[in-house]
Amino acid sequence: MVMASGSADYLGLANAPVLWILALAVMGVVVVQSLIYMTAVKKNAESAGMTQQEVKSAFRAGGVAAIGPSLSVVLVAIALLPLFGTPPVVVRVGLIGSAATEVASASIAAGTMGSSLGDETFTRGVFIVALMAMSLSGAGWMISTLILTPVFKRSSHKLEKVNPALMSIIPGAALLAAFAALTFRELPKSPTHVIAILVSAVVMTICLFLAKTLKQPWLKEWGLGISLLVGLIASYFAHYAGLGAPEA
C-alpha cells in the first residue's frame, strides 16, 4: 500500500482481477433480483387483477421507458472509464447511477490528500481512498433504503386503513413530483434545455392522444422513447443554432 501510493499509474490497480470479480458478482445479484421480481409478478398477477398479456405489456413499457435513462448512464460511464477504471465504474455508476455523487465523493476524498482527480497527483494511494469514499457514499443510500423501506411499508398499511384512496394517489403524486423536480432543475440552464423539455412534452402528449384516439396501446409503451429521441434531435439543432449555454 505504501509503495503503491507513490505511483501515478493507478489504472492497473483499478482494473485488477479481484475488482472485476467483485463487480461481476454485484451485477449478477442485480440480474438475479430482477429475474426473481419478474417471476413473482407473473405468478401473482391474477391476484392483482392482471392478465398475463397485461403483465407482458407492463414489462415492455418498462423496458422502453428505461432506454433513455440507461443511455445517459452509459454515456456517463464511458466518460468516467479513463478516470476510475472499468470495474469501479460498472459498480458505482451502474448500480447507483449518480455520476455527480460519485465524482463529488472521489473529489472530496482526493482533496483531503492534496490531490485532484485525473492529474499526476492522483496516485494509487489516492485512488484507493477515493474508491473507499465512493463505496461508503453508496452504502449510505442502500442502508437507508434497507432501514426505511419496512417503516414506509408499515405506514402505508396504516394509511390504507384510514383512507384506501390515499395509497392510489400518493405513489402517483410522488412519481410526478420526482420527475417534475428533475425537469424544473434543467430549465434555467439554457434555451436548448427549455426546447428539449417542451418538444418532448408535446411529442409525448401527441403519442398519448393518438394512442387513445386510434386505439393503439403500443404508442403508450413507446411514447417515452419516441419523445426522448425527438427531444434529443430538437436539442441538437437548437444547440448548434446558438441556443446552448454560454461558455464560461
Side-chain angles (χ1 to χ4, degrees):
M1 172 74 178
V2 175
M3 293 178 63
S5 65
S7 173
D9 182 20
Y10 65 91
L11 287 179
L13 178 63
N15 291 285
V18 64
L19 291 182
W20 271 108
I21 294 172
L22 295 174
L24 292 175
V26 171
M27 301 313 294
V29 170
V30 174
V31 173
V32 171
Q33 283 181 329
S34 300
L35 293 175
I36 291 173
Y37 291 147
M38 292 173 68
T39 303
V41 168
K42 291 181 179 179
K43 288 183 177 180
N44 296 281
E46 293 183 3
S47 61
M50 294 179 65
T51 65
Q52 291 300 319
Q53 184 59 40
E54 288 175 331
V55 171
K56 291 180 181 179
S57 297
F59 285 155
R60 191 162 54 246
V64 173
I67 292 175
S70 299
L71 285 176
S72 64
V73 172
V74 169
L75 292 175
V76 169
I78 292 174
L80 294 180
L81 287 178
L83 188 59
F84 296 120
T86 304
V89 170
V90 168
V91 175
R92 305 312 317 148
V93 178
L95 190 61
I96 302 299
S98 176
T101 300
E102 302 300 336
V103 172
S105 300
S107 180
I108 293 172
T112 60
M113 302 181 69
S115 176
S116 299
L117 297 182
D119 64 12
E120 65 278 359
T121 63
F122 196 72
T123 62
R124 291 189 173 191
V126 178
F127 168 75
I128 292 172
V129 174
L131 183 59
M132 179 62 70
M134 290 190 292
S135 300
L136 291 175
S137 174
W141 292 27
M142 297 181 182
I143 292 172
S144 298
T145 302
L146 183 65
I147 295 173
L148 293 177
T149 298
V151 175
F152 289 143
K153 185 176 181 180
R154 289 194 294 269
S155 301
S156 65
H157 289 329
K158 291 180 180 179
L159 284 174
E160 285 179 348
K161 293 178 181 179
V162 175
N163 189 346
L166 283 176
M167 290 314 299
S168 63
I169 297 174
I170 291 176
L175 187 63
L176 181 62
F179 279 101
L182 293 172
T183 302
F184 290 136
R185 189 174 63 183
E186 300 299 316
L187 283 173
K189 292 185 177 179
S190 75
T192 297
H193 288 75
V194 176
I195 291 172
I197 291 170
L198 292 178
V199 170
S200 299
V202 170
V203 173
M204 188 67 188
T205 302
I206 293 173
C207 288
L208 293 176
F209 175 77
L210 292 177
K212 184 178 180 180
T213 304
L214 304 178
K215 296 182 180 180
Q216 298 292 330
W218 67 270
L219 278 172
K220 289 184 179 180
E221 300 172 10
W222 288 89
L224 181 58
I226 295 171
S227 63
L228 284 170
L229 178 61
V230 177
L232 285 172
I233 294 173
S235 62
Y236 172 84
F237 285 108
H239 176 76
Y240 285 99
L243 298 177
E247 296 184 1

